[in-house]
Amino acid sequence: MSSSMIVPVIDVQNDNFKELWPAMVVAIKTSSFVALDTELSGLGNRKSLLAESIEDRYKAICHAARSRSILSLGISCYKKLDHKVADTYLVQVYNLTLLCSEEYIIEPQSVQFLVQHGFDFNKQYSHGIPYYKGNNKGGSDGHGVHMRALFTELLRARKPLVLHNGLIDMAFLYQSFYAHLPERLATFTADLSEMFPAGIYDTKYITEFELRFSASYLEYAYKKCKLDNSRSVTCGAAGPQVHVEFCQYAGQMSTYVDYRDCPTVASPEAQTDICQRFSAFGWCPNGTQCPLSHDTDLIILQDERNKQDKRKKRKRQRDKKRGKDIADCSSTIDDAPENKKTHMEDPGDQEGATDNVTLEDGNGQTQENDGESMRTESEGNSMCEDNTDSRHSAATAMNTKNDVESRGGETEKNRALSAETDGKKCTDTGTHRAGFDAFMTGYIFACSCTLDKKDHDGEGVEEKEQKEAQSWLPTCLNKVYLSGKAAPLNVVKSTFSKSSKAHMQKMEMVWGVKM
């Protein structure tokens, strides 16, 4: 069963930004991949963010990124340890509180949502790290201790970038710490492909299209990965499993750390009714006032039971059909010549076919989320056949991403930490922090890469090494999730698009060569 985990998240503010700068830069440069997450001041018109035309969606995202701001940035650096058990990572997690130095819009519903989940606006305005948006503001990109320089260090590190439902995150990062967003989507994707040559990975796309989870909002995907990985470790299954280790922080450094408790997934003591909307999409318009359960652990266990029940039902149907076929054929068999044999295909041989996953295009109707959260999300454009129950009847509904999608709809109740955490500064177990969300995003990616390795265990050593050298997860490289679409956005530079002038100037500064 899933084991408990204590995740140290380093709280970075303007007061300690310079002190922590060297550690953050080293963590980024020595990492195997970097996972990011943002908390935003708003997104504007939600319907525009789900426009049928992807180009129109991009224009709406650009408007939001230019008029709103990033309130906090989560950075989680995963470093693979070669001298440890296969797929062991040293993880360093940072939560940066930011304050845009220019005027920006902050939406009341976003404030309400963030306050409900523990965001401290007093701390942001008094201790936030200042930054300017757009081109060449607030100091040279490559020098000094500021956010633009930190983003430049991320680009120079040339590490794979991992996000969850990351299109909006990338647009805000580009506008806030790099340059003015280009007017066309094709130019934007061309720039991104050169900014991150090691590739961009979207765990929302991975969980929807590769892992085929029943739901794919961040908290669900993380806990499902953690549970499956822990089961694999406990039963001693063959193949690699994900193991994570954290730095031990002492002295002054320890005062900057919030310890996040990730409890074991456990069955409830009593029967509890689950909120079907939260179960499917990770958010509920009633929020904490909902009388039904928003317990992600319970939702995962119920999904597993439903899947098992449906498999048993299909097996009974096959057995029943098989018995009927045998009865129908018995008279023919009895009357057949002795040297003749009848051939009957065993329906059991087709079991794999009944488990095939079908994609449902979510381009149909969408509905407004009441504006209670911040980023657009559609949680059901591709659903497993095993999960076509009533909770997916609203599969094409709109779910906004901040990340009510990922972050769940209500903060879980505080759980008593184990004795080993006594005396440490611990926060509640809710997931709505950019730093911890970045950690969860990275963990999903690490588990996905491990599962991909297991799928190729039968291949030769040279073939597996070649695939690993090409990318971490080749089938998901540079594919970004699009809400309500059955195909992702490909982050590539096409022959019909050029990189933006601002980007080419930036790249010359970052790499030291002309693009």
Side-chain angles (χ1 to χ4, degrees):
M1 191 57 70
S2 177
S3 59
S4 182
M5 183 189 300
I6 306 298
V7 181
V9 180
I10 302 175
D11 192 15
V12 186
Q13 306 172 28
N14 196 37
D15 300 341
N16 60 7
F17 186 44
K18 187 173 182 179
E19 177 186 350
L20 295 173
W21 174 273
M24 286 191 291
V25 172
V26 170
I28 291 172
K29 287 183 176 180
T30 59
S31 66
S32 300
F33 64 85
V34 179
L36 299 183
D37 188 85
T38 63
E39 296 290 354
L40 310 175
S41 69
L43 279 180
N45 189 323
R46 270 61 172 179
K47 290 183 179 179
S48 299
L49 296 169
L50 282 179
E52 179 71 19
S53 165
I54 304 303
E55 194 69 39
D56 289 342
R57 290 192 192 189
Y58 175 69
K59 291 178 181 178
I61 293 172
C62 287
H63 176 72
R66 291 164 181 163
S67 58
R68 276 79 174 168
S69 72
I70 299 177
L71 303 180
S72 63
L73 172 67
I75 303 176
S76 188
C77 302
Y78 279 69
K79 178 182 179 181
K80 196 167 186 179
L81 302 177
D82 296 329
H83 60 285
K84 293 291 184 79
V85 178
D87 287 13
T88 297
Y89 295 88
L90 177 65
V91 185
Q92 298 181 63
V93 186
Y94 298 90
N95 188 88
L96 288 73
T97 302
L98 308 180
L99 181 63
C100 182
S101 298
E102 304 168 272
E103 290 185 357
Y104 63 90
I105 296 172
I106 182 163
E107 300 171 8
Q109 61 268 34
S110 300
V111 174
Q112 182 181 23
F113 173 81
L114 290 171
V115 169
Q116 287 176 350
H117 294 89
F119 189 86
D120 189 344
F121 280 93
N122 288 330
K123 183 173 74 172
Q124 186 217 2
Y125 283 103
S126 58
H127 300 290
I129 302 168
Y131 73 92
Y132 288 88
K133 295 189 292 184
N135 293 334
N136 305 318
K137 294 181 180 180
S140 173
D141 289 23
H143 302 87
V145 179
H146 47 78
M147 287 306 302
R148 302 181 73 84
L150 184 64
F151 190 72
T152 298
E153 293 292 346
L154 175 64
L155 298 180
R156 286 174 174 163
R158 302 190 187 207
K159 303 298 181 180
L161 179 66
V162 184
L163 308 114
H164 190 85
N165 202 16
L167 178 58
I168 293 175
D169 289 300
M170 290 188 296
F172 269 79
L173 291 168
Y174 189 110
Q175 179 68 31
S176 298
F177 311 132
Y178 192 63
H180 286 301
L181 282 163
E183 297 301 323
R184 296 179 61 247
L185 177 60
T187 307
F188 178 57
T189 55
D191 289 358
L192 288 176
S193 67
E194 294 176 343
M195 292 165 64
F196 299 99
I200 296 171
Y201 297 87
D202 191 332
T203 54
K204 174 71 177 174
Y205 173 81
I206 293 171
T207 51
E208 282 268 351
F209 288 85
E210 293 294 320
L211 302 184
R212 309 291 189 181
F213 283 176
S214 302
S216 56
Y217 49 92
L218 185 59
E219 185 178 0
Y220 182 102
Y222 163 70
K223 289 189 174 182
K224 175 63 174 170
C225 284
K226 183 170 177 284
L227 177 60
D228 291 347
N229 185 71
S230 296
R231 285 171 172 166
S232 179
V233 172
T234 301
C235 70
Q241 291 103 13
V242 172
H243 303 270
V244 294
E245 298 180 359
F246 303 98
C247 296
Q248 299 297 317
Y249 301 104
Q252 179 66 20
M253 192 74 168
S254 64
T255 63
Y256 305 144
V257 182
D258 287 333
Y259 291 90
R260 289 258 152 193
D261 179 29
C262 305
T264 299
V265 174
S267 300
E269 296 180 359
Q271 182 67 28
T272 307
D273 292 330
I274 291 175
C275 172
Q276 294 304 313
R277 177 171 289 280
F278 185 89
S279 174
F281 306 117
W283 68 274
C284 169
N286 297 323
T288 56
Q289 303 302 315
C290 181
L292 302 175
S293 174
H294 290 180
D295 189 331
T296 310
D297 296 352
L298 178 59
I299 293 169
I300 291 173
L301 295 175
Q302 185 187 70
D303 284 345
E304 291 183 343
R305 286 194 297 270
N306 289 341
K307 184 174 290 188
Q308 291 173 358
D309 290 344
K310 290 182 179 181
R311 285 174 178 168
K312 290 178 181 178
K313 182 178 179 181
R314 284 199 302 269
K315 185 178 184 301
R316 287 195 299 269
Q317 292 173 340
R318 288 194 301 270
D319 291 344
K320 184 176 180 180
K321 183 176 184 296
R322 184 185 308 171
K324 182 177 183 299
D325 290 343
I326 293 174
D328 291 343
C329 294
S330 60
S331 58
T332 305
I333 295 173
D334 292 340
D335 295 338
E338 291 184 2
N339 62 342
K340 294 284 186 180
K341 293 183 179 179
T342 58
H343 174 74
M344 291 185 297
E345 184 176 348
D346 184 0
D349 294 338
Q350 303 301 317
E351 180 173 357
T354 65
D355 287 327
N356 285 344
V357 179
T358 59
L359 291 179
E360 299 175 358
D361 193 345
N363 294 338
Q365 301 174 0
T366 60
Q367 66 183 45
E368 196 71 21
N369 172 356
D370 298 328
E372 80 166 341
S373 66
M374 295 164 25
R375 275 177 261 167
T376 58
E377 171 87 342
S378 174
E379 291 295 350
N381 70 356
S382 61
M383 296 298 174
C384 293
E385 182 181 9
D386 278 347
N387 297 284
T388 54
D389 55 15
S390 60
R391 79 185 186 85
H392 282 146
S393 61
T396 58
M398 167 182 173
N399 175 25
T400 60
K401 188 191 170 194
N402 193 38
D403 259 337
V404 175
E405 124 25 47
S406 50
R407 334 308 190 182
E410 66 174 7
T411 305
E412 299 176 15
K413 295 180 180 179
N414 291 335
R415 295 180 173 92
L417 299 181
S418 58
E420 64 178 303
T421 64
D422 287 349
K424 294 181 179 179
K425 183 176 67 173
C426 299
T427 59
D428 63 270
T429 58
T431 56
H432 294 262
R433 299 290 189 284
F436 187 71
D437 290 350
F439 165 76
M440 290 195 291
T441 300
Y443 189 88
I444 296 168
F445 181 69
C447 289
S448 303
C449 293
T450 299
L451 291 173
D452 185 64
K453 288 181 183 178
K454 291 179 180 179
D455 290 341
H456 296 93
D457 278 346
E459 297 178 347
V461 175
E462 291 185 3
E463 187 176 1
K464 286 196 289 186
E465 288 180 350
Q466 183 179 6
K467 284 190 175 182
E468 186 167 338
Q470 290 174 349
S471 73
W472 285 77
L473 205 58
T475 57
C476 300
L477 175 65
N478 289 333
K479 294 179 180 179
V480 177
Y481 182 83
L482 290 174
S483 298
K485 298 292 184 181
L489 172 68
N490 292 308
V491 181
V492 296
K493 184 176 183 180
S494 75
T495 55
F496 303 102
S497 63
K498 295 181 179 180
S499 300
S500 65
K501 292 182 179 179
H503 162 72
M504 289 188 288
Q505 294 173 353
K506 298 284 183 180
M507 284 290 97
E508 184 176 351
M509 181 274 299
V510 172
W511 307 123
V513 294
K514 287 190 176 182
M515 299 299 293

